[in-house]
Amino acid sequence: MAGPIYVISLGIVTWSTDMNAPVQLPDDWNWIAALLPLAMFCIAGGALFSILPNLIGLRAMMWLGSHNPGMQLPVSWGLAGALSMAVVIGLAEPDGIVSIPGIALAITGTVCALLCRRGVSWEECPPALGR
C-alpha cells in the first residue's frame, strides 16, 4: 500500500500548499478508467521500493517491543516510521528545506509503520510475558 499512500499524500500535501486552488474533475467520466492501471502501477512500484525497509523496520520494532513495552504502542510505531523517513529526507535534501515529496514520504512512512503494527502481537513473546 506504500505506492497508493504516497500518491494520495502527495496530492493532499500539494493541495494543502494552495488551498484556494479549486479541485475540478473533468465533465466526462473516462478518467475513472485510467485509475485502475494507475493504481496497479502504484501498488507494484510501492511494493518494490518499500518491502525491504518495511521488513527491516517491522523486525526492529518487534524486537524493541518485546524488550520495552512502550515500543508496543502504535504512537511509537508511527513516530518510528516518520523518523525513518526523515533520515531519508535529510539525506536526499541536505540543504534543510523539506519539499512536498519529502512531506508525502514522511506521511507514507508513518502510515506504513502503523499498517505493519496491525499484524503484530506480543502475547506469545516470552520477554514481554515476564514484564
Side-chain angles (χ1 to χ4, degrees), residues 62-78:
M62 285 175 60
W63 182 84
L64 287 170
S66 68
H67 290 85
N68 182 356
M71 296 306 285
Q72 296 176 4
L73 298 173
V75 69
S76 299
W77 284 64

Side-chain angles (χ1 to χ4, degrees), residues 32-114:
I32 292 179
L35 289 181
L36 184 61
L38 178 65
M40 292 300 146
F41 178 73
C42 289
I43 290 170
L48 179 69
F49 287 114
S50 71
I51 189 71
L52 190 61
N54 279 331
L55 288 176
I56 291 170
L58 175 66
R59 292 299 299 162
M61 290 301 290
M62 285 175 60
W63 182 84
L64 287 170
S66 68
H67 290 85
N68 182 356
M71 296 306 285
Q72 296 176 4
L73 298 173
V75 69
S76 299
W77 284 64
L79 286 173
L83 290 175
S84 65
M85 290 298 103
V87 170
V88 173
I89 295 166
L91 293 174
E93 299 173 354
D95 57 353
I97 300 172
V98 179
S99 64
I100 290 174
I103 295 170
L105 193 62
I107 293 169
T108 304
T110 302
V111 174
C112 285
L114 291 173

